[in-house]
Each structure stands twice: as C-alpha cells, then as structure tokens.
Amino acid sequence: MAGTGRNGDTKVVTLSDVARLAGVSVATASKALNGRSQVAARTRARVEAAAEQLSFVPNRMAQGLLAGRTGTVGLLTSDLQGRFVIPILMGAEDAFGAGRVSVFLCDAREDTIREQHHLQALLSRRVDGLIVVGSRTDPRSTLGHDIPVPVVYVYAPSDDAGDLSLVPDNVAAGRIAVEHLVACGRRKIAHVSGDPGYAAALDRGVGVGEGLDAAGLKLVGDSMYADWSERWGRDASAVLLDRHPDIDAIVCGSDQIARGALDAVRDRGRVVPDDVAVIGFDNWEPMVEGSRPELTSIDPNLELLGRAAAQRVFAALDGDELGDGVHLQAPRLVIRGSTVPRS
Amino acid sequence: MAGTGRNGDTKVVTLSDVARLAGVSVATASKALNGRSQVAARTRARVEAAAEQLSFVPNRMAQGLLAGRTGTVGLLTSDLQGRFVIPILMGAEDAFGAGRVSVFLCDAREDTIREQHHLQALLSRRVDGLIVVGSRTDPRSTLGHDIPVPVVYVYAPSDDAGDLSLVPDNVAAGRIAVEHLVACGRRKIAHVSGDPGYAAALDRGVGVGEGLDAAGLKLVGDSMYADWSERWGRDASAVLLDRHPDIDAIVCGSDQIARGALDAVRDRGRVVPDDVAVIGFDNWEPMVEGSRPELTSIDPNLELLGRAAAQRVFAALDGDELGDGVHLQAPRLVIRGSTVPRS
DNA sequence: CCGTCAACAGAAAACCTTTTCGGTCTGTTT
DNA sequence: AAACAGACCGAAAAGGTTTTCTGTTGACGG
C-alpha cells in the first residue's frame, strides 16, 4: 500500500522482485503464490508477505503465453445503442465469473471492413472465444470456419448452419403475447408491427397468428408493418381504431410502437387497459416503465442468452463439442398495467 | 484461406511456422514482416507469401511482453444501461483507431468489491490505461494513486483533485437551454428536474438560474426536484401549469421528464410548441425522436468525452503529463420541434 | 590476391511466468 | 554407520516475438 506517486510512474513489479525481496528463487516464489505443495510453510509465508508488500499482480499475458489460454473473450457487435449487447455482456460476465475472464468489446458499426479489423485484432490478442452480437435477428454472414477459436452468434444467427447461433424465440414471443391477451378476456385483437424487412417483425407476427388460431380467433384488420417508430405505432393504431372501433387489444411489434399505440388510444378518449389492452415486445425499461400506464411486454431474456453463449464458449474450451444450428431462447411475459387493470 | 475445419480445431500458427515454410530463421521472418531494412527484397517476399499462406497473425501477448505495452485499455463502468458508456466506448475506439487498441469493458454494477475484482483483472492483463465511467455526475471515490497506468475518470469525476476527470458541463447545459428559450421569445419559464441527490440535477438548475439572470428574467414557480421519471415530469408539470397558466416554456431535467411534461401540456389542451415550449437534457435518441413533437434537447457530447479520455490516456503513454482536476465538456443544443414551430 | 565494406541472415537474449527435473539437506531406517 | 526417503529449493526450459549482435557472403578497390 505504499503508492504515493502519481498514476503511471510506479514501475510494474514482477515475480523476480518478489522473489528477491523474499530471498528465494522465482521458481519457489511462483509455487508459493500458486499454492503448489513443494514449498515449506515458512517460505510460503515470506513470499506472500513480499508479494503483499510490493502489491504484486502476476502478468496474465505471460501466464497466457505458457498456458495457451488468455482468459479473454471477444464480443463483436454492431449494436450501436448497446441495447442488446449490454445485457448479453452482463450475462457473459456472470457465467464467466467477474475477473476470471475479461471481455473485449468491439463495435463494428455495421461495417464489414471494420469488423474484419476488429476480428484480426481479437485473434492477434489470442482470445479464447468469440461472441458475435447482431443488432437484428436476421441472419448475418458467417465469419467463416477458419477461426481457431469457438464462435457463438447471438441475437443475429449466422447464415451458415454449421455455426452455432443463439437467438430469441420471436415466434413464441408473439404466441405468448396473444395467449396473455386471450387469458385477459380479449377477443378483438389487432396487430401493429415494425419494419417488415426485419425477421423479428415477421416472426412475432407468425407467433401472433399461431396464438390466434389456437384460441379460435381471427385478427381484427390486417397486420400493419412499416417501421419501429412511436410515430408509426400511433398512426397505425389510429387507423385501426377508427376502422374497427370494437378492438379490445393491440399487439405491438416493439415497446416503442406500443407507446405510440397508447397515445392513439388515449387520443380517442378510450382507456388502457379497460377498453383496450396494449402489449409490446423487448421489455425495454425506459420505455415500458415511463409509459402511462406501464407497459406489459415480452422480455427476450437477453441475459440468459449472453450467459448461455458464454457457457458454450467455455464448454468448447474444455473440449466439448461446440454444437451448431440455431437455438431458440424462450421469452418471458412481464405483466404491467397496460393489459391488466390495477384491480 | 485454407480453413475447412470446424471452429476451434485449427492449430494456431506461429512465426516459426512461417519461418520454416519460408526457409529462413524466425529473426529474419520477424524483420521481413515488420518492414525492417535488414532483409533482401526476395527474402521478404518469400516470408510474406508464407505468412499469407498460413494466414499468420502475430501474437500480441508475446509482443506486449517485450514491448511493455499491450495495446489494450480497460473501461470500468457502473452504467448498467450502457447509456453513457457506449458512446464513450465509440469515442475511445475512434481516437485509438479501430483494431490498433482493444478495449476491455467491465461492468462493476455499483459494487465496490466487484470493481476491485475487475481492477485487479485489468491490471493483471497489463492494460496500458484505464477509463472509469460513472453512471451519474456526482464525484466517486478515487481508485487511488498506486495504479501503475494512467487513469481518466469520465462522466463521474473522482473525489480526489489529483486525478484527471472529464465531465459534461451541466451548468453550461442549463444556461444554453434557457438562452435558447429566450431566443425563441419565451419569457415565462418553469423548471422541472430530477433527483436532487444527483449533481446533474442541481448543476443544470444552477445553469438555468444563470441563464434567467442574464436575460433579466425570474423563474416561474419554484424549481421542482424529485426523480428522473416520466411520471414525475408529468405530475410536476401539471402542478406548475395549473398554478401558473401563463407559463410559455418548461426546462426539464432530462428527456424522460420532458416527455412527461409534453403529456401534461397536451392533457391541458395546450399545444407544444405554440403555447408552451419544452426542452430536455441528454438528447437520448429513442426518447427525443419518439416524442410528439420531437424534443429539443441538450446533448452532453459523450462521444467527444470518450475521445478526449482516450487521447489523454494515449498522450500519457507517450510521456506527456496526464494532468489533473475536473475538466468540463461543453454541451451542444439540438433543436427539434418542441421549441420551434415547424414554420 | 588480399583487405575492406556493405548487405544480409541467423543466434541469442530479453520479456514474465510456470513446470519439470535434479540437487541439497535433514532425519530416519537397517 | 551407511543408506535411504522425504522435504524442500533452484536451475532451466518453454511459450512467441523483437532486437541486438555476430557471422557469412559477395563485390569491389587497391
């Protein structure tokens, strides 16, 4: 705990410094600090004291050089907003254990060249594994198979079936949304979704259809697709509500669209959830908790996705088969005021 | 370009592999690939071909071991949502240049023990520098001065004046907000802010006061402080509008509060921006762009903050003095529909 | 033909740590 | 007393790269 200097001027202390202070060889110092048995208790104590005094931290680069493992993982993303990548990062940290594994986060910004640069950088740093996070659930091009470490694709699957991809189950999400509305006694259900160029929009739509079929219901009006904005949610809901005044629930393709829908319902002097229930997707906290009333939403369980990805990478390092194909993560319904009256 | 196997099975290729294939020594191979002059053009070409063929990537851990620099930086955050840390990360990546420096991102989750763990891990990985990002602008406890690499505190300053901190200038932000409203012809300005336990709330409030003084105006009603929620923005604005019907502008402590204010104004049958202008802080895209009308806001220029932090770390590595004290980043006004009519 | 010089290639050390193996010492067994 | 076992410590190699220094080769001038 000496440290009185300014940051950066203290010289880095190595194992030989510790060994010298303790009056032993580096070999013995190493064994003492790593709990090896070939060292006397008194010597061990002396070494530990020396290490403490110098606040020695072993150089993991050097360790990695020997071990062939660096204890690092690369997280390669194009998720500008950090909306998906942060929960995934947290899940990965949980799975790895804080401090045991460190994560390189690289933002490719949807740019293939930049992605290649980052990939080279990560490989040159000898990461033990790679997690690739997309910003949408559509398939993305594979990084290829000549990568010397296990790769897991998360959120956006790889377009190569030989790769392992973990993605949210959007079909199930749509189904669950409808099942919840039906359980709440709704029968006249409409659907406003986002950009039809996104697989997420279409998949959720499919799930909505399945849910309705299972309940013997038919969608009120057509599914509306355009973009993910609140404005669109507002406008589309307005059209639907005007054309079909008997609507008693709206399934929205995202929380933002749902907020627009809430506005549209209120503008028409109708009450959420008494007259019309509204449900969103993503369970994005600032959106769902800020709205009036708070928004019921389907949470894609991104932390679990991240954790699963990390576990897969870990297992592959221990020699397990990495696996392949697209694996679906079940979503989770989070009920709030927009579908159920405050009672 | 060979690579036909599954990920993880290809053996990592080293410089000696390249040297062997090219029929030279590792020393020569190294010099050839690094553009050193002591190599004949023909030999260089042969080595480069071999490296290409084996798709050789130098091991930066090994390089770092020699050079004493790893080309990595640690980003230590407690920003659960990634709202501040992502732009800062992007700024840092820009400053460093994609691929040249890689960033470890660690989320301490407001937990001191976890932070210590991460810190140890980062130091053991011999990061060249450390950027510490807080989730609020209040001072945080210093990491201490016995850290062998330069440390820059961003967003949340260190409580130790000997550390270097880069933070948004919230006082200026408040002032700029008022100046803009005054320039738009507003004279009856109210103020709804967030949690008074946050320096950000108070600082912006101070700036609002300065702006009003400079314009010879007085605040309508009292500054309202409670929390950062939309609900509070709605409720507080409602009270203010009912009590002071002549209000023609509301400065809000955050974009979320501003959204609440928009709701309250609309609930009273008044029009934004014609009757009442509303301005927020943070310029958080999903909030400002989803609202009706879109929200004028003060952007804290977080990317610039991140870039500046990265540049400071870099400069310190090159021997420059790191500097100390709290440095303010000027904000930027982003004008949208909530303060200026569509014309 | 010898010496000089330049141009180039390779050997070896260095970075920091871990591990294997051999060596020293103490104490014990026959 | 001699041999032996066991406990402990240290020397050395390994891991991949860069750099310095030494050595080789060939050309050229004297």
CSV table of all heavy atoms in Angstrom, one decimal, chain A residues 232-271:
chain,number,residue,atom,x,y,z
A,232,TRP,N,-45.1,5.7,-36.0
A,232,TRP,CA,-45.8,4.7,-36.8
A,232,TRP,C,-46.8,3.9,-35.9
A,232,TRP,O,-48.0,3.6,-36.3
A,232,TRP,CB,-44.8,3.7,-37.4
A,232,TRP,CG,-45.5,2.4,-37.8
A,232,TRP,CD1,-45.2,1.2,-37.3
A,232,TRP,CD2,-46.5,2.2,-38.9
A,232,TRP,NE1,-46.0,0.2,-38.0
A,232,TRP,CE2,-46.8,0.8,-38.9
A,232,TRP,CE3,-47.1,3.1,-39.7
A,232,TRP,CZ2,-47.7,0.3,-39.8
A,232,TRP,CZ3,-48.1,2.6,-40.6
A,232,TRP,CH2,-48.3,1.2,-40.6
A,233,GLY,N,-46.4,3.6,-34.7
A,233,GLY,CA,-47.3,3.0,-33.7
A,233,GLY,C,-48.6,3.8,-33.5
A,233,GLY,O,-49.7,3.3,-33.5
A,234,ARG,N,-48.4,5.1,-33.4
A,234,ARG,CA,-49.5,6.0,-33.2
A,234,ARG,C,-50.4,6.0,-34.4
A,234,ARG,O,-51.6,5.8,-34.3
A,234,ARG,CB,-48.9,7.4,-33.0
A,234,ARG,CG,-49.8,8.3,-32.1
A,234,ARG,CD,-48.8,9.3,-31.4
A,234,ARG,NE,-47.9,9.9,-32.4
A,234,ARG,CZ,-46.6,10.2,-32.0
A,234,ARG,NH1,-46.2,9.9,-30.8
A,234,ARG,NH2,-45.9,10.8,-32.9
A,235,ASP,N,-49.8,6.2,-35.6
A,235,ASP,CA,-50.6,6.4,-36.8
A,235,ASP,C,-51.3,5.1,-37.1
A,235,ASP,O,-52.5,5.1,-37.5
A,235,ASP,CB,-49.7,6.8,-38.0
A,235,ASP,CG,-49.1,8.2,-37.7
A,235,ASP,OD1,-49.6,8.9,-36.8
A,235,ASP,OD2,-48.1,8.5,-38.4
A,236,ALA,N,-50.6,4.0,-37.1
A,236,ALA,CA,-51.2,2.7,-37.5
A,236,ALA,C,-52.4,2.4,-36.5
A,236,ALA,O,-53.5,1.9,-36.9
A,236,ALA,CB,-50.2,1.6,-37.5
A,237,SER,N,-52.1,2.6,-35.2
A,237,SER,CA,-53.2,2.3,-34.3
A,237,SER,C,-54.4,3.2,-34.5
A,237,SER,O,-55.6,2.7,-34.4
A,237,SER,CB,-52.7,2.5,-32.8
A,237,SER,OG,-51.5,1.7,-32.6
A,238,ALA,N,-54.1,4.4,-34.8
A,238,ALA,CA,-55.2,5.3,-35.1
A,238,ALA,C,-56.1,4.8,-36.2
A,238,ALA,O,-57.4,4.7,-36.1
A,238,ALA,CB,-54.7,6.7,-35.4
A,239,VAL,N,-55.5,4.4,-37.3
A,239,VAL,CA,-56.2,3.9,-38.4
A,239,VAL,C,-57.1,2.7,-38.0
A,239,VAL,O,-58.3,2.6,-38.3
A,239,VAL,CB,-55.3,3.5,-39.6
A,239,VAL,CG1,-56.0,2.7,-40.6
A,239,VAL,CG2,-54.6,4.7,-40.1
A,240,LEU,N,-56.4,1.7,-37.3
A,240,LEU,CA,-57.1,0.5,-36.9
A,240,LEU,C,-58.3,0.8,-36.0
A,240,LEU,O,-59.4,0.3,-36.1
A,240,LEU,CB,-56.1,-0.4,-36.2
A,240,LEU,CG,-55.2,-1.2,-37.0
A,240,LEU,CD1,-54.1,-1.9,-36.2
A,240,LEU,CD2,-56.0,-2.3,-37.8
A,241,LEU,N,-58.1,1.7,-35.0
A,241,LEU,CA,-59.1,2.0,-34.0
A,241,LEU,C,-60.3,2.7,-34.7
A,241,LEU,O,-61.5,2.5,-34.4
A,241,LEU,CB,-58.6,2.9,-32.9
A,241,LEU,CG,-57.6,2.2,-32.0
A,241,LEU,CD1,-56.8,3.2,-31.1
A,241,LEU,CD2,-58.4,1.2,-31.1
A,242,ASP,N,-60.0,3.5,-35.7
A,242,ASP,CA,-61.1,4.2,-36.4
A,242,ASP,C,-61.9,3.2,-37.2
A,242,ASP,O,-63.1,3.3,-37.3
A,242,ASP,CB,-60.5,5.4,-37.3
A,242,ASP,CG,-60.0,6.5,-36.4
A,242,ASP,OD1,-60.4,6.5,-35.2
A,242,ASP,OD2,-59.2,7.3,-36.9
A,243,ARG,N,-61.1,2.3,-37.9
A,243,ARG,CA,-61.8,1.4,-38.8
A,243,ARG,C,-62.5,0.3,-38.1
A,243,ARG,O,-63.5,-0.2,-38.5
A,243,ARG,CB,-60.7,0.8,-39.7
A,243,ARG,CG,-61.3,0.4,-41.1
A,243,ARG,CD,-60.1,-0.1,-42.0
A,243,ARG,NE,-59.3,1.0,-42.4
A,243,ARG,CZ,-58.1,0.8,-43.0
A,243,ARG,NH1,-57.6,-0.4,-43.2
A,243,ARG,NH2,-57.4,1.8,-43.4
A,244,HIS,N,-62.0,-0.1,-36.9
A,244,HIS,CA,-62.6,-1.2,-36.2
A,244,HIS,C,-62.8,-0.7,-34.7
A,244,HIS,O,-62.0,-1.1,-33.8
A,244,HIS,CB,-61.7,-2.4,-36.2
A,244,HIS,CG,-61.2,-2.8,-37.6
A,244,HIS,ND1,-62.1,-3.6,-38.4
A,244,HIS,CD2,-60.1,-2.6,-38.3
A,244,HIS,CE1,-61.4,-3.8,-39.6
A,244,HIS,NE2,-60.2,-3.2,-39.5
A,245,PRO,N,-63.8,-0.1,-34.4
A,245,PRO,CA,-64.0,0.5,-33.1
A,245,PRO,C,-64.1,-0.5,-32.0
A,245,PRO,O,-64.0,-0.2,-30.8
A,245,PRO,CB,-65.3,1.3,-33.2
A,245,PRO,CG,-65.5,1.5,-34.7
A,245,PRO,CD,-64.9,0.3,-35.3
A,246,ASP,N,-64.3,-1.8,-32.4
A,246,ASP,CA,-64.6,-2.8,-31.4
A,246,ASP,C,-63.3,-3.5,-30.9
A,246,ASP,O,-63.3,-4.4,-30.1
A,246,ASP,CB,-65.5,-3.9,-31.9
A,246,ASP,CG,-65.0,-4.5,-33.2
A,246,ASP,OD1,-64.1,-3.9,-33.8
A,246,ASP,OD2,-65.5,-5.6,-33.6
A,247,ILE,N,-62.1,-3.0,-31.4
A,247,ILE,CA,-60.9,-3.6,-31.0
A,247,ILE,C,-60.7,-3.5,-29.5
A,247,ILE,O,-61.0,-2.4,-28.9
A,247,ILE,CB,-59.7,-2.8,-31.6
A,247,ILE,CG1,-59.5,-3.2,-33.1
A,247,ILE,CG2,-58.4,-3.0,-30.9
A,247,ILE,CD1,-58.5,-2.4,-33.8
A,248,ASP,N,-60.3,-4.6,-28.8
A,248,ASP,CA,-60.1,-4.5,-27.4
A,248,ASP,C,-58.7,-4.9,-27.0
A,248,ASP,O,-58.4,-5.0,-25.8
A,248,ASP,CB,-61.1,-5.4,-26.6
A,248,ASP,CG,-61.0,-6.9,-27.0
A,248,ASP,OD1,-60.0,-7.2,-27.7
A,248,ASP,OD2,-61.9,-7.7,-26.6
A,249,ALA,N,-57.8,-5.1,-28.0
A,249,ALA,CA,-56.4,-5.3,-27.6
A,249,ALA,C,-55.5,-5.0,-28.9
A,249,ALA,O,-56.0,-5.3,-30.0
A,249,ALA,CB,-56.2,-6.7,-27.1
A,250,ILE,N,-54.3,-4.5,-28.6
A,250,ILE,CA,-53.4,-4.3,-29.7
A,250,ILE,C,-52.1,-4.9,-29.4
A,250,ILE,O,-51.5,-4.6,-28.3
A,250,ILE,CB,-53.2,-2.8,-30.0
A,250,ILE,CG1,-54.5,-2.1,-30.3
A,250,ILE,CG2,-52.2,-2.6,-31.2
A,250,ILE,CD1,-54.4,-0.6,-30.5
A,251,VAL,N,-51.6,-5.9,-30.2
A,251,VAL,CA,-50.3,-6.4,-30.0
A,251,VAL,C,-49.3,-5.6,-30.8
A,251,VAL,O,-49.5,-5.4,-32.0
A,251,VAL,CB,-50.2,-7.9,-30.6
A,251,VAL,CG1,-48.8,-8.4,-30.4
A,251,VAL,CG2,-51.2,-8.7,-29.8
A,252,CYS,N,-48.3,-5.1,-30.2
A,252,CYS,CA,-47.4,-4.2,-30.9
A,252,CYS,C,-46.0,-4.8,-31.1
A,252,CYS,O,-45.5,-5.5,-30.2
A,252,CYS,CB,-47.2,-2.9,-30.1
A,252,CYS,SG,-48.8,-2.0,-29.9
A,253,GLY,N,-45.4,-4.5,-32.2
A,253,GLY,CA,-44.1,-5.2,-32.5
A,253,GLY,C,-42.9,-4.8,-31.7
A,253,GLY,O,-41.9,-5.5,-31.7
A,254,SER,N,-43.1,-3.7,-30.9
A,254,SER,CA,-42.0,-3.3,-30.1
A,254,SER,C,-42.6,-2.4,-29.0
A,254,SER,O,-43.7,-1.9,-29.1
A,254,SER,CB,-40.9,-2.5,-30.8
A,254,SER,OG,-41.3,-1.2,-31.1
A,255,ASP,N,-41.8,-2.1,-28.0
A,255,ASP,CA,-42.3,-1.2,-26.9
A,255,ASP,C,-42.5,0.2,-27.4
A,255,ASP,O,-43.4,0.9,-27.0
A,255,ASP,CB,-41.3,-1.2,-25.8
A,255,ASP,CG,-41.2,-2.5,-25.0
A,255,ASP,OD1,-42.2,-3.2,-25.0
A,255,ASP,OD2,-40.1,-2.9,-24.5
A,256,GLN,N,-41.7,0.6,-28.4
A,256,GLN,CA,-41.8,1.9,-28.9
A,256,GLN,C,-43.1,2.1,-29.7
A,256,GLN,O,-43.9,3.0,-29.5
A,256,GLN,CB,-40.7,2.3,-29.8
A,256,GLN,CG,-39.4,2.4,-29.0
A,256,GLN,CD,-38.2,2.8,-29.8
A,256,GLN,OE1,-38.0,3.9,-30.2
A,256,GLN,NE2,-37.3,1.8,-30.0
A,257,ILE,N,-43.4,1.1,-30.5
A,257,ILE,CA,-44.7,1.1,-31.2
A,257,ILE,C,-45.8,1.0,-30.2
A,257,ILE,O,-46.8,1.7,-30.4
A,257,ILE,CB,-44.7,-0.1,-32.2
A,257,ILE,CG1,-43.7,0.1,-33.3
A,257,ILE,CG2,-46.2,-0.3,-32.7
A,257,ILE,CD1,-43.6,-1.1,-34.2
A,258,ALA,N,-45.7,0.3,-29.1
A,258,ALA,CA,-46.7,0.2,-28.1
A,258,ALA,C,-47.0,1.6,-27.5
A,258,ALA,O,-48.1,1.9,-27.2
A,258,ALA,CB,-46.4,-0.8,-27.1
A,259,ARG,N,-45.9,2.3,-27.3
A,259,ARG,CA,-46.1,3.6,-26.7
A,259,ARG,C,-46.9,4.5,-27.7
A,259,ARG,O,-47.8,5.3,-27.2
A,259,ARG,CB,-44.8,4.3,-26.4
A,259,ARG,CG,-44.1,3.6,-25.3
A,259,ARG,CD,-43.1,4.5,-24.7
A,259,ARG,NE,-43.8,5.7,-24.2
A,259,ARG,CZ,-43.3,6.4,-23.2
A,259,ARG,NH1,-42.2,6.1,-22.6
A,259,ARG,NH2,-43.9,7.5,-22.8
A,260,GLY,N,-46.7,4.4,-28.9
A,260,GLY,CA,-47.5,5.1,-29.9
A,260,GLY,C,-48.9,4.7,-29.8
A,260,GLY,O,-49.8,5.5,-29.9
A,261,ALA,N,-49.1,3.4,-29.7
A,261,ALA,CA,-50.5,2.8,-29.6
A,261,ALA,C,-51.2,3.4,-28.4
A,261,ALA,O,-52.4,3.8,-28.5
A,261,ALA,CB,-50.5,1.3,-29.6
A,262,LEU,N,-50.5,3.5,-27.3
A,262,LEU,CA,-51.1,4.0,-26.1
A,262,LEU,C,-51.6,5.5,-26.3
A,262,LEU,O,-52.7,5.8,-26.0
A,262,LEU,CB,-50.1,4.1,-24.9
A,262,LEU,CG,-49.7,2.8,-24.3
A,262,LEU,CD1,-48.6,3.0,-23.2
A,262,LEU,CD2,-50.8,2.0,-23.7
A,263,ASP,N,-50.8,6.2,-27.0
A,263,ASP,CA,-51.2,7.6,-27.3
A,263,ASP,C,-52.4,7.6,-28.2
A,263,ASP,O,-53.4,8.4,-27.9
A,263,ASP,CB,-50.0,8.3,-28.1
A,263,ASP,CG,-49.0,9.0,-27.2
A,263,ASP,OD1,-49.2,8.9,-26.0
A,263,ASP,OD2,-48.1,9.6,-27.7
A,264,ALA,N,-52.4,6.8,-29.2
A,264,ALA,CA,-53.6,6.7,-30.1
A,264,ALA,C,-54.9,6.4,-29.4
A,264,ALA,O,-55.9,7.0,-29.6
A,264,ALA,CB,-53.3,5.7,-31.3
A,265,VAL,N,-54.8,5.4,-28.5
A,265,VAL,CA,-56.0,5.0,-27.8
A,265,VAL,C,-56.5,6.2,-26.9
A,265,VAL,O,-57.6,6.5,-26.9
A,265,VAL,CB,-55.7,3.8,-26.9
A,265,VAL,CG1,-56.8,3.5,-26.0
A,265,VAL,CG2,-55.3,2.6,-27.7
A,266,ARG,N,-55.5,6.8,-26.2
A,266,ARG,CA,-55.9,7.9,-25.4
A,266,ARG,C,-56.5,9.1,-26.2
A,266,ARG,O,-57.5,9.7,-25.8
A,266,ARG,CB,-54.7,8.4,-24.6
A,266,ARG,CG,-55.1,9.3,-23.4
A,266,ARG,CD,-54.0,9.5,-22.4
A,266,ARG,NE,-52.7,9.8,-23.0
A,266,ARG,CZ,-51.7,9.1,-22.9
A,266,ARG,NH1,-51.7,8.0,-22.2
A,266,ARG,NH2,-50.5,9.5,-23.5
A,267,ASP,N,-55.9,9.3,-27.3
A,267,ASP,CA,-56.4,10.4,-28.2
A,267,ASP,C,-57.9,10.2,-28.5
A,267,ASP,O,-58.6,11.2,-28.7
A,267,ASP,CB,-55.6,10.5,-29.5
A,267,ASP,CG,-54.2,11.1,-29.2
A,267,ASP,OD1,-54.0,11.6,-28.1
A,267,ASP,OD2,-53.4,11.1,-30.2
A,268,ARG,N,-58.3,8.9,-28.6
A,268,ARG,CA,-59.6,8.6,-29.0
A,268,ARG,C,-60.5,8.6,-27.8
A,268,ARG,O,-61.7,8.1,-27.9
A,268,ARG,CB,-59.7,7.3,-29.8
A,268,ARG,CG,-59.6,7.6,-31.2
A,268,ARG,CD,-58.9,6.6,-32.0
A,268,ARG,NE,-58.4,7.2,-33.2
A,268,ARG,CZ,-57.4,8.0,-33.3
A,268,ARG,NH1,-56.7,8.2,-32.2
A,268,ARG,NH2,-57.1,8.6,-34.4
A,269,GLY,N,-60.0,9.0,-26.6
A,269,GLY,CA,-60.9,9.0,-25.4
A,269,GLY,C,-61.2,7.7,-24.8
A,269,GLY,O,-62.1,7.5,-24.0
A,270,ARG,N,-60.4,6.7,-25.2
A,270,ARG,CA,-60.6,5.4,-24.7
A,270,ARG,C,-59.5,5.1,-23.7
A,270,ARG,O,-58.5,5.7,-23.7
A,270,ARG,CB,-60.6,4.3,-25.8
A,270,ARG,CG,-61.7,4.8,-26.9
A,270,ARG,CD,-61.8,3.7,-28.0
A,270,ARG,NE,-62.3,2.5,-27.4
A,270,ARG,CZ,-62.4,1.4,-28.2
A,270,ARG,NH1,-62.1,1.4,-29.5
A,270,ARG,NH2,-62.9,0.3,-27.7
A,271,VAL,N,-59.8,4.1,-22.8
A,271,VAL,CA,-58.9,3.9,-21.7
A,271,VAL,C,-58.1,2.6,-21.8
A,271,VAL,O,-58.7,1.6,-22.1
A,271,VAL,CB,-59.7,3.9,-20.4
A,271,VAL,CG1,-58.8,3.6,-19.2
A,271,VAL,CG2,-60.4,5.2,-20.2
